[in-house]
Amino acid sequence: NNNNNSHTITQRIPKSSTNPKSIAYLKLIYQSAQQALSPLKTHLFSLIDEKDKSKVQIDIHPLKQLEKSIFTAMCEFGGDFSMLLDITKASVKCTSVNTLTKILSRLISTCREKGSGIEIVKAQNRMDGFSFPMNDLEDSGNRDVLLNLRISGHICQVQFLLNPSFNNNNNNN
């Protein structure tokens, strides 16, 4: 998953000299993650206009289980908890490419606004190779745009999915 063409992105705990490999640092990250949930929800729901409400489903996920975070840090990052960028997660499902593009464009515009409190720190376009309509089993997997957003100082992971088959009955979180 590491990309040699970019700098390493890590969770930064302001005003902390705590070792990123310590459980104390992990505790601080989880506090930061909890504080980021409400602003994440607010930012994501602000991207949807009235016309698109039936075409978009936003899910704010529970924080990643502590055990999974520890396992990931130990196995993938040499015990460095600052490398965990998916403790706070959300998904944005859109029924069409047009809607997905509009939502992403609004997000980019928001990030460009001075003082918006939101910044895109990493983006992965995993839509490549996607064909419509889905004619075979190989095309049936999720295709998405995966963004890491810094919100209130915490890096969150947001998955933007093209999911034309979901039924949105206004059950957004």
Side-chain angles (χ1 to χ4, degrees), residues 5-137:
N5 296 334
S6 65
H7 66 283
T8 301
I9 299 165
T10 61
Q11 296 286 4
R12 294 177 284 199
I13 304 298
K15 300 177 187 171
S16 174
S17 59
T18 307
N19 182 337
K21 292 186 176 187
S22 71
I23 295 297
Y25 197 87
L26 181 61
K27 182 179 177 185
L28 292 171
I29 290 174
Y30 267 82
Q31 289 171 353
S32 174
Q34 186 66 45
Q35 293 169 356
L37 284 173
S38 180
L40 173 64
K41 183 176 182 177
T42 300
H43 279 295
L44 291 179
F45 278 96
S46 74
L47 301 173
I48 304 172
D49 64 20
E50 199 60 40
K51 292 186 305 187
D52 292 329
K53 277 192 173 184
S54 66
K55 302 173 189 174
V56 180
Q57 178 180 331
I58 295 176
D59 295 310
I60 308 297
H61 304 287
L63 296 182
K64 186 174 187 173
Q65 291 181 358
L66 187 61
E67 296 81 11
K68 287 184 179 182
S69 291
I70 293 170
F71 181 81
T72 301
M74 295 303 169
C75 293
E76 295 183 27
F77 305 124
D80 186 346
F81 297 115
S82 72
M83 300 292 289
L84 296 169
L85 306 180
D86 63 347
I87 294 172
T88 308
K89 294 169 85 168
S91 59
V92 179
K93 297 174 187 167
C94 300
T95 58
S96 70
V97 172
N98 184 39
T99 303
L100 181 71
T101 303
K102 282 195 294 187
I103 298 295
L104 286 170
S105 294
R106 289 179 192 139
L107 176 63
I108 291 167
S109 294
T110 300
C111 290
R112 289 181 176 157
E113 293 173 12
K114 196 168 193 129
S116 69
I118 185 168
E119 170 191 11
I120 298 172
V121 294
K122 184 177 179 183
Q124 295 175 324
N125 178 359
R126 302 189 306 192
M127 296 289 280
D128 294 342
F130 187 65
S131 62
F132 233 159
M134 295 179 223
N135 294 324
D136 59 35
L137 292 176

Side-chain angles (χ1 to χ4, degrees), residues 10-14 32 36 117-118 149-156:
T10 61
Q11 296 286 4
R12 294 177 284 199
I13 304 298
S32 174
I118 185 168
L149 306 174
R150 188 179 315 275
I151 298 176
S152 301
H154 182 80
I155 298 175
C156 307

Side-chain angles (χ1 to χ4, degrees), residues 100 104 123-127 143-147 158-161:
L100 181 71
L104 286 170
Q124 295 175 324
N125 178 359
R126 302 189 306 192
M127 296 289 280
R143 297 287 192 239
D144 62 11
V145 173
L146 192 64
L147 298 181
V158 182
Q159 182 182 29
F160 292 82
L161 294 147

